[in-house]
Amino acid sequence: MLFKQYLVLSIISCLGFVHEISGQSLKERKAIAEGNNNYLQENYRAAISNYSKVLSTNAKDIKANFNIGNAFYETKQYLKAKEHYLKVVENTADSKQKAEAYYNIGNCFMKEHKYPNAIESYKNALRNNPKDNQARYNLTLARKLNQTDKKNSKDNELKPSDYVKNKKEESEKVAKKGDFISAYKIMGEALAKDSSALYESDYLKKLQEIIILDTIE
């Protein structure tokens, strides 16, 4: 059996099953079966050992690559997990198996907080299996997390310095006296010296609007 990792809102994994693969020797099937039992018992090191026995003689084995990837996933070795999922993609002609592998690659990227990569992986999963609703759900989740991540990064980058905070206070005092042009100039000077003044772009915009309205009147 192959195990698919499901990623939901709480990012918890559970098990699902896809096709059995033919063309394995009795010894390989036995090692896979033992590895699967180890996996289900959460003995991931033993599972990795058994799957590795198969890969030592058949590096392209689909089941062994897929399930050792999952064992590495469970031990938080996401880079190794992705390497084996990619081997599944490279060595299978079955579109459903490709979709399952891309799906799990996406989950690895999610664990690493690499949301753009996760998005592309889930897209690849859907290209190979358009009916995979779980991949579609995770794609939506990855997009939302990516937007949140971008917003947080932007907020951190534009956090105003103490200098900018002081200049804004100075500007606001001048603005309260009705001298909006001078207030705007103060912030303009701050922006010329410190790019974190961009954080106050909304305040600058409001000053501009007031100045324009005063000119019209």
Side-chain angles (χ1 to χ4, degrees), residues 15-83:
L15 299 179
F17 310 101
V18 296
H19 309 305
E20 290 287 340
I21 310 298
S22 60
Q24 293 176 323
S25 68
L26 179 61
K27 184 177 181 181
E28 288 172 339
R29 289 199 297 272
K30 183 179 179 181
I32 290 287
E34 289 178 355
N36 289 350
N37 287 331
N38 297 143
Y39 185 95
L40 290 170
Q41 293 169 8
E42 299 183 3
N43 187 351
Y44 302 121
R45 288 186 179 180
I48 290 170
S49 177
N50 276 303
Y51 297 140
S52 294
K53 291 177 184 177
V54 178
L55 294 174
S56 65
T57 57
N58 186 3
K60 295 182 179 181
D61 187 274
I62 302 302
K63 282 197 294 187
N65 274 303
F66 202 108
N67 288 358
I68 198 172
N70 285 351
F72 279 128
Y73 178 94
E74 294 293 351
T75 55
K76 300 181 180 180
Q77 299 181 71
Y78 303 120
L79 180 59
K80 289 184 178 180
K82 285 182 288 186
E83 289 175 354

